[in-house]
Each structure stands twice: as structure tokens, then as C-alpha cells.
Amino acid sequence: MLRNFVKSLSARNLRCSIKNNGVSQSFISRRFIAPLSTTEPALKAEKVKVTFIFHDGKRMETQANVGDSLLDVVVNNELNIEGYGACEGTLTCSTCHVVLKPEDYNKLPDEACDEERDMLDLAYGLTDTSRLGCQIILTKDMDGLEIQIPETINDARV
Amino acid sequence: MFDVAPSVKSWEDVPGPRPLPLLGNTWRFTPYIGGYSVEHIDKVCLALREEFGNCVKMTGLLGRPDMLFVFDASEVERVFRGEDAAPHRPSMPSLNYYKHTLRKDFFGAEENCAGVIAVHGDQWSAFRTKVSRVALSAGAAAQYTVPVAEVADAFIQRIRSIRNEDSETPADFLNEVHKWSLESLSLIALDTRLNCFNASEDSESMRLIDAVQTFFLSVGELELRAPWWRLYPTKMFRQYVAALDTILSVTLSHVEKALKEIKANGSSKSLLQDLVTAAGPRVAAVAALDLFLVGIDTTSNAVASILYQLALRPQVQERMYEEISKVLQDRPMKPGDVNQMPYLKACVKEVMRMYPVVVGNGRQLTKDTVVCGYNIPKGTQVIFQHYVMGNSDDYFTNASEFRPERWMNRSPAQKHHAFASLPFGYGKRMCLGRRFAELEIHTVICKMVQAFKMEYHHEPMDYHIHPMYTPNGPIRLKLMDR
Ligand code: HEM
Ligand code: FES
């Protein structure tokens, strides 16, 4: 149920759209909540390779759609990471925490907005190259991206 | 790894004052969004921690589940991180009764349309999902930047006109702030300017203003005093119900208007219209009702408190003024502007750390949970004492000092526990109005600092819980035009 619901959302709708430089204001023309039935026009989805690396060292390669958020990728591929994306991308939970390689981190097109940073502060095991997966939207040049899913407090205590 | 069950102690062993009530019968707890209603519970909690430690059991509370007060930020973190799909936040029994008994025909008419306040489990979760993507997306609030700034301008005009000959705000200044808050929220939740600052008698605006006021007056009474209303409808209770009915009928009428406009335009142009489109008219009306119930006095008390704290600190105002002038350069505010005002944002966070309007938040455990090394049974209300933690040197370096910088450049040398100060809560059940609250607060504070030099020339005020944590006394600020 929930899965399908999350799937049907356009990732772009939930991303913070105001960057800290205050320049990009595209949200004004973009209604962020399209009626849920109108899913993305079925463009021939471009794919990029994304590899998830779990805290126990396991790796998992996926083909992900350009335009999806990393949260979408986790949900669409049924990666079943416990508790991941609890707030469905509404920036209230920080469970979608990911750690990137420094070179990938620096190449991301958008910096974290203030709302993301406030939640990132609350991420477990925060690093200098941490981001929230629900806010990272895949672009063509992210092919080959490696994403580390850090340990959670629940892993740490078992 | 090592053995996991390191002698977890039992619930019976949790320390706590016995027998209750240690404070006579004024001791009562109101789960008003998890906050307290006892006026000086802030000080009581400091004393409790002093005497019993970081985790204190409160049992034998008249007609209420047992409670566990938690003063340890790492334990708060663990409880939040262990939340399941539908975290349960204790809520107002009178509202429970209104939604689930008295007006169950309305709130139970469709599946999952009872709202988020005083609603739990799957019903909460289904409703929340429908609303949160509309309300919490950062862009959702940004689209209101210009109208929210207009309301802030109207507020400033209003207080210019009501200052006395010493340029001081009148003793009932807080009331004017409430009007600003109601005006801003109606704009967001109902697409409507109520014109609270000069509403005419027997207008819809006035009915709504009165209803909201009645609701706030009576909810405190009903929750604080013996719950006679459970036995028969007391006068207070009848007023309370009438007020809720009025608010609901107003939200319904605006939803109808929204429906018509969507039809006419073929698209949606506002939060309310988005909600109607995404989740249907009933959900939209109930959502708007809930926003009204918890979104007005929280925001207004926060603003009053921030203005008071700023009035005590001219240098802080100067630095804010510089920052604001640099960004705005005498042009009107536009979306994204406050994101370039990190000092202003930090000042707001710092006041919320030291004087959180909601002093404590809480969860009713949905499963047995280990907290502070004790096995706490399902059903216990775990209360996170953010006022105490936010002001503790254990979690913030020099906690008693007002230092907005601590939010701007975190150095590793500085202590700062992220879960000690959480003015809007955390996780799936976090404040649903946070984006709007922040937009409103940042905007009005920005405008106030831009318009006035603020000073305070009376006795320093202590804070009390009323039921928001707010300066105890008339907020008489001297406002000198810049
Ligand atoms: C300074 C202003 C405000 C503060 C400090 C505040 C604080 C809070 C807190 C602490 C909670 C409980 C969160 C949790 O359980 O983790 C909450 C819940 C809530 N707040 Fe706010 N709030 C503010 C303004 C607003 C506004 C303006 C609105 C409406 C537009 C609003 C709507 C709500 C709603 C609907 C909930 C219940 C969410 C749920 O149970 O799913 N709040 N708020
Ligand atoms: S899913 Fe909750 S913050 Fe990203």
C-alpha cells in the first residue's frame, strides 16, 4: 500500500525548492502536489547505475530512473532497509540518511537546503559527506554513484 | 557481539516521588501537545531531576496513565529512533471526546478523516500521509511568503497605531500577536484574509475570532479541572463544543469555496485547494480545523517571547538589522530571503532552546521499551523534558548564555546534543505546521527588527506555562521607529 503510494509521487514534488542563494524559485510555477493520479508522463526513463553499500559491507547494484530521489530508488527496488524513509520524504525524520564519497558529495547539483540541514543534524552517525536520501534527485551524470547506508542506532544496539 | 540483556531493571525500580501528589492537588498534567499546564512545572521538573536523576517515575496521577519524565537527551533519541509506524502522542481528552463520541457522525463518516490531533494508530497514519506532503514540503510554505509578509506589515501598522505616548505597546500586546497569528494562519489554511485587526461585529471573521478565543479559554479549564463534563455537559463544555462547531463550519464553508475555484480554474492554487484535490473536501476541512486548534497560540507565544528576548538585547538586534538590510536593501521580501539570514534564524532557535513554547513533548509507548536501563511498560507516557535539557550544561556549552552563534558554526569543542532541543518534535509525528510556523515567525521578526528598535523598561519577567511557555506579565515593549 504505502509503497505504491510513495511510488506514485513525483520525487521532485517534495524536494526543497528554494536554495540558499535564493535564486532558484521555480516552485512558483510548479504545483508541488499534482493530483495523485497524474503520475509522471511516461517519458522513456533514463537509467543510471546506483550502488548501495550497507553497513555490514553488502553491496547492491540497481538501475535507477533519472529524476527519482534516492528514497524512491530504495522504495522502488524494495531494498527493505528497516525504518528507512519513515516520513515519506517530508523532511521530519532523517531516517533516509546516506553517506557519499567526498567527490560525489561535492559534485551534487544542489546543496542541502536549511530544512534538510535541520534534519540532517539529527541523523545517526552524521559525517561530513552525509545527506538525506529523500532530497537527492538523480541526474544523468550521477551514473555509477555509490551510496553508503550507515548503521542505525538499532543496528548498533543489537 | 556481547550479551545484550545487561540486567535491565524493572519499572518498579524507577525512582520517583512517592506518594503523589507532592505538590498538593494543583498537580495535574495536560497533554496539550504534550506540554504542561501547571504554571510552574518548569521549576518542578528542574527540582525533580535534581532529586531523582535523569529518569523519574510519576505514578498515581488521577485518571491518567503513569508517566516517565526523561531528562537524558540520548534516551530521548533512542525512544524517537525506535518509533513504529504510528507513534502515539498523548492528547486532550476533551477533544478526543468531541471527535470520537460527540461528533463521531462527522469525523467517522469517511474512513480516516478524523484528523491528526487526538487521533492515533492507523487512522492517524492514513490521515497524516494525506496531509503531510502538502503541508511539509518546503515549497508549500514558500508560496505564502508575500501574503505572510503583508500580514506582518499590517501587524506593524497596527502596533504603530496602538503604542502609547512613551512608544510602548499596551499591556494586552499578546492579544494583538494572537490576531496576527490567526490572520496568518487563515491565509494559509483557508485562503482568506480575515482582517482581524479591524473585523466588524457579526462578520464571519468575528465569529471565528470569538470561537478560537473561546476554545483556548475553555480547553485549559476543561483539561485542568475535574472532568465534570464527562458526566454532564457543563456550561464551559457547551461553550467549548459550540466553539469547535463554529470553527469546523467555517472551515467547511471555505472548503466549498475552494472546490468551486478548482472547478472554475481547472487547477489548484493554494494549500487548501491542494488538499481538497489530493484528499477530498472532508479531509481538507478537518485538516484546517486541526491546524487552527494547535497553530495559533503556539506561534503567537513564540513571537511574543522572541520579541521580549530581543528587546532585552539591543546588540543582537543591531546585528540582525545589518543582516536584514544587506539582504533586502529596501525591497519587499520574496521567497528565499530568510534563508540568507542565518543569524536571524539562529536567534529564533536560541530563544526556542532556552524558552521552548512547548516545554515537553511525549509519546505513549506502543510497546514495552527500555529507557534509561529500565523496562518501561507499554502504555506509559514518556515525557521528554526539553525545557530542562535545553537549559542544561550537559548538552549545551554555557547553556545559560544567549548565544545564537552556537547554531551557526558548530565547533567540535562545543557541546550540542541534537535531541536536547526539539521545539517542533521529531519523526513521523513532528509538528505538521512547522514550515508555516517558521515562515510566519521569521517573517514577522524580520519586519519588526527592520521597523523598530525594541527596548524593555519594566521589571524583568519570569516565564510561566499558560499553557504555552511564555513571559509572565504584560509585554510592554518600547518600540522606536528606525
Ligand atoms: C512556534 C510554533 C510551534 C511550535 C513550537 C509547535 C510545536 C509542536 C510540537 C512540539 C508538536 C508535537 C510534535 C511531536 O509529537 O513530535 C506539534 C504538533 C503539531 N503541530 Fe505544531 N508547533 C507550532 C506551530 C504550529 C502551527 C503554526 C501549526 C499549523 C499550521 C501546527 C500544527 C501542528 C499539528 C497539526 C501537530 C500534530 C501533528 C500530528 O500529531 O501528526 N503547529 N507542534
Ligand atoms: S524520509 Fe524522512 S527525512 Fe527523508
Side-chain angles (χ1 to χ4, degrees):
Chain A
M1 250 322 265
L2 183 66
R3 287 235 150 83
N4 293 336
F5 200 33
V6 175
K7 256 187 229 176
S8 69
L9 272 176
S10 150
R12 268 180 282 139
N13 292 339
L14 293 171
R15 196 168 35 142
C16 358
S17 37
I18 307 222
K19 294 304 153 202
N20 297 309
N21 59 18
V23 173
S24 117
Q25 286 169 36
S26 47
F27 69 91
I28 289 179
S29 55
R30 183 206 302 150
R31 297 306 304 156
F32 57 91
I33 180 97
L36 292 177
S37 53
T38 55
T39 36
E40 289 286 276
L43 298 170
K44 258 178 271 120
E46 276 184 85
K47 301 267 186 186
V48 287
K49 188 175 89 177
V50 175
T51 307
F52 290 88
I53 305 167
F54 299 96
H55 68 94
D56 58 4
K58 262 195 216 114
R59 296 168 71 91
M60 171 139 179
E61 260 180 37
T62 58
Q63 290 296 319
N65 298 330
V66 168
D68 274 1
S69 74
L70 289 181
L71 173 60
D72 294 332
V73 179
V74 168
V75 172
N76 294 345
N77 289 284
E78 312 208 345
L79 294 187
N80 284 328
I81 306 169
E82 204 196 323
Y84 197 87
C87 77
E88 302 168 40
T90 56
L91 276 177
T92 70
C93 77
S94 76
T95 59
C96 60
H97 181 196
V98 295
V99 176
L100 302 176
K101 293 196 293 198
E103 58 270 31
D104 290 338
Y105 180 88
N106 293 326
K107 270 197 312 221
L108 290 178
D110 296 314
E111 275 179 27
C113 64
D114 287 5
E115 288 83 356
E116 179 182 346
R117 274 193 264 181
D118 284 347
M119 290 325 287
L120 206 47
D121 279 345
L122 296 155
Y124 185 72
L126 186 65
T127 71
D128 287 341
T129 59
S130 288
R131 287 290 302 265
L132 293 178
C134 66
Q135 302 302 307
I136 298 181
I137 309 299
L138 292 171
T139 60
K140 270 185 301 197
D141 13 318
M142 291 188 197
D143 192 41
L145 192 65
E146 279 188 8
I147 292 148
Q148 228 176 308
I149 303 287
E151 189 176 56
T152 69
I153 199 167
N154 302 318
D155 300 319
R157 304 272 163 145
V158 180
Chain B
M1 299 206 35
F2 14 89
D3 191 5
V4 240
S7 56
V8 173
K9 287 166 281 180
S10 81
W11 169 239
E12 279 68 42
D13 296 336
V14 184
R18 243 169 296 192
L20 275 180
L22 78 166
L23 299 161
N25 51 16
T26 55
W27 175 253
R28 277 267 177 48
F29 177 62
T30 299
Y32 189 77
I33 9 184
Y36 297 103
S37 58
V38 180
E39 278 224 30
H40 294 295
I41 195 78
D42 51 334
K43 286 162 190 97
V44 173
C45 287
L46 285 169
L48 283 172
R49 185 182 65 162
E50 192 71 12
E51 185 174 353
F52 297 102
N54 271 339
C55 160
V56 180
K57 177 166 72 175
M58 311 294 289
T59 54
L61 300 160
L62 277 178
R64 293 203 176 278
D66 290 344
M67 290 193 286
L68 182 76
F69 286 4
V70 177
F71 301 97
D72 179 332
S74 300
E75 293 298 314
V76 172
E77 175 174 2
R78 260 167 37 83
V79 175
F80 269 130
R81 293 205 197 281
E83 280 185 351
D84 59 19
H88 182 135
R89 190 184 52 251
S91 60
M92 302 169 257
S94 56
L95 197 60
N96 250 334
Y97 181 81
Y98 178 79
K99 283 190 172 180
H100 303 299
T101 306
L102 206 63
R103 295 284 178 262
K104 68 169 186 295
D105 289 349
F106 181 85
F107 291 95
E110 270 170 38
E111 220 181 331
N112 305 323
C113 71
V116 289
I117 306 289
V119 177
H120 305 288
D122 293 345
Q123 264 204 57
W124 167 81
S125 163
F127 192 98
R128 169 96 185 191
T129 295
K130 290 184 221 174
V131 179
S132 63
R133 66 186 76 258
V134 180
L136 281 164
S137 127
Q143 63 180 326
Y144 288 98
T145 306
V146 171
V148 162
E150 284 165 9
V151 175
D153 286 335
F155 173 67
I156 283 166
Q157 238 178 15
R158 168 77 180 168
I159 50 184
R160 277 213 167 99
S161 72
I162 58 174
R163 279 178 301 187
N164 69 13
E165 59 280 10
D166 296 327
S167 296
E168 281 195 354
T169 54
D172 72 343
F173 178 61
L174 183 58
N175 212 25
E176 297 299 319
V177 188
H178 287 322
K179 288 186 199 163
W180 159 82
S181 184
L182 179 58
E183 185 79 23
S184 305
L185 190 57
S186 307
L187 186 75
I188 292 165
L190 301 179
D191 290 350
T192 301
R193 277 297 297 266
L194 293 177
N195 293 315
C196 292
F197 296 123
N198 39 25
S200 59
E201 294 300 324
D202 64 63
S203 57
E204 181 188 57
S205 300
M206 199 43 103
R207 281 203 306 139
L208 187 61
I209 294 167
D210 286 344
V212 167
Q213 214 147 36
T214 308
F215 170 77
F216 287 125
L217 285 177
S218 44
V219 72
E221 290 288 306
L222 293 170
E223 298 292 340
L224 273 176
R225 312 240 178 266
W228 293 113
W229 57 267
R230 286 174 197 246
L231 303 178
Y232 69 96
T234 57
K235 177 154 180 256
M236 182 67 82
F237 188 69
R238 289 198 310 271
Q239 286 175 354
Y240 171 81
V241 169
L244 283 169
D245 286 347
T246 302
I247 302 172
L248 185 59
S249 76
V250 173
T251 64
L252 278 166
S253 76
H254 285 277
V255 164
E256 239 156 69
K257 228 167 64 192
L259 263 173
K260 281 195 199 119
E261 273 174 39
I262 298 166
K263 283 218 186 89
N265 300 325
S267 70
S268 114
K269 285 210 181 64
S270 67
L271 173 91
L272 186 66
Q273 295 182 14
D274 286 342
L275 263 177
V276 173
T277 312
R282 193 181 294 254
V283 165
V286 173
L289 169 73
D290 278 357
L291 300 185
F292 269 88
L293 300 186
V294 298
I296 297 169
D297 59 340
T298 39
T299 314
S300 47
N301 281 294
V303 165
S305 169
I306 294 164
L307 291 176
Y308 171 60
Q309 294 299 331
L310 291 178
L312 302 175
R313 296 176 175 84
Q315 280 126 325
V316 172
Q317 285 178 58
E318 280 317 302
R319 191 165 159 197
M320 287 170 90
Y321 184 74
E322 257 170 52
E323 183 182 76
I324 295 165
S325 308
K326 222 160 83 198
V327 175
L328 293 183
Q329 305 189 343
D330 289 328
R331 61 163 172 76
M333 276 178 96
K334 62 178 174 52
D337 280 343
V338 286
N339 292 338
Q340 298 179 72
M341 302 176 187
Y343 187 69
L344 182 150
K345 284 189 159 185
C347 288
V348 172
K349 285 185 177 156
E350 186 67 346
V351 177
M352 291 295 100
R353 173 185 70 81
M354 298 175 80
Y355 307 97
V357 277
V358 180
V359 293
N361 189 8
R363 292 289 180 259
Q364 183 156 337
L365 295 180
T366 51
K367 53 183 186 272
D368 289 3
T369 307
V370 176
V371 185
C372 298
Y374 298 95
N375 189 28
I376 310 301
K378 176 180 166 174
T380 309
Q381 294 187 350
V382 178
I383 309 298
F384 315 133
Q385 297 288 356
H386 288 297
Y387 164 75
V388 175
M389 290 183 282
N391 285 285
S392 161
D393 283 326
D394 295 349
Y395 302 121
F396 295 97
T397 304
N398 301 325
S400 62
E401 286 170 26
F402 183 89
R403 293 221 319 240
E405 295 78 10
R406 71 174 88 239
W407 299 98
M408 297 165 68
N409 30 37
R410 300 268 183 94
S411 73
Q414 271 192 0
K415 259 186 290 185
H416 186 126
H417 196 302
F419 282 76
S421 173
L422 288 176
F424 294 98
Y426 174 79
K428 298 186 66 141
R429 201 143 195 178
M430 190 188 85
C431 178
L432 191 54
R434 176 171 183 175
R435 311 283 177 245
F436 303 120
E438 288 184 332
L439 174 71
E440 290 175 35
I441 293 171
H442 294 146
T443 305
V444 80
I445 298 297
C446 171
K447 295 266 178 188
M448 284 293 289
V449 170
Q450 206 181 15
F452 304 115
K453 278 190 181 174
M454 301 183 272
E455 290 172 5
Y456 180 74
H457 296 289
H458 302 272
E459 284 296 298
M461 284 186 281
D462 199 1
Y463 275 56
H464 67 161
I465 287 138
H466 193 71
M468 297 295 136
Y469 200 47
T470 191
N472 185 3
I475 301 175
R476 286 170 295 181
L477 307 179
K478 189 173 167 99
L479 302 179
M480 289 154 300
D481 293 324
R482 286 229 183 227

